Amino acid sequence: TEALGMHGLFAVNAAQGDRAGMMVTARRAIEQHPRADWAQAGLFESAVALGDWAAADKALTASFRAGRVSDSDYRHRRAAIRLAEARRAAEGRAPDALRLAREAVKLEPGLVPARLLVAAEYRQKGALRRARAVLR
């Protein structure tokens, strides 16, 4: 009954748009019932909506290891997380923006926004040949 109650509380939080509450409820559910698929998926979705990329990555990795996410979905979602982290780092001129964007490209080579960010970072550093190569 506890798992059912947690799921109900999660649904209420979702209906109210309380993403932080959804994350708390999902984490509690995972601690007590690690195999709760709805909790893993809810934690990932809530973390993404809140921009908590570390939590989203952790939830995604846990779902992948449990066999709930395919390899291609895992790589695509992880690339999107890395791209979001890279964009945040680039806004603050953090030095790891290029590393994160390159990781996104490595995970998902066809992710055009990641390639554009890598090229922009290379261009800003004066590495025009690398920027062109990334875009090709």
Side-chain angles (χ1 to χ4, degrees), residues 6-29:
M6 291 270 207
H7 194 238
L9 181 57
F10 183 85
V12 168
N13 288 335
Q16 294 174 346
D18 181 8
R19 296 288 186 181
M22 290 169 65
M23 281 186 67
V24 169
T25 304
R27 281 188 177 132
R28 282 182 44 209

Side-chain angles (χ1 to χ4, degrees), residues 39-68:
Q40 288 289 354
L43 180 59
F44 174 76
E45 291 171 16
S46 300
V48 167
L50 291 172
D52 186 346
W53 306 120
D57 192 37
K58 186 176 178 182
L60 178 63
T61 300
S63 292
F64 176 69
R65 287 185 180 150
R68 295 181 192 106

Side-chain angles (χ1 to χ4, degrees), residues 67-129:
R68 295 181 192 106
V69 177
S70 70
D71 183 54
S72 62
D73 282 347
Y74 173 73
R75 293 177 65 78
H76 181 73
R77 290 178 184 181
R78 193 139 197 240
I81 290 170
R82 290 294 177 265
L83 175 59
E85 290 174 323
R87 283 180 173 164
R88 183 179 290 165
E91 287 173 2
R93 299 283 30 115
D96 58 343
L98 178 60
R99 177 187 58 80
L100 291 165
R102 287 180 65 198
E103 188 175 334
V105 169
K106 186 175 181 181
L107 286 164
E108 186 77 30
L111 191 60
V112 174
R115 285 192 175 273
L116 292 173
L117 185 56
V118 170
E121 289 295 316
Y122 276 142
R123 193 187 88 226
Q124 186 172 13
K125 293 177 188 269
L128 298 177
R129 285 186 184 177

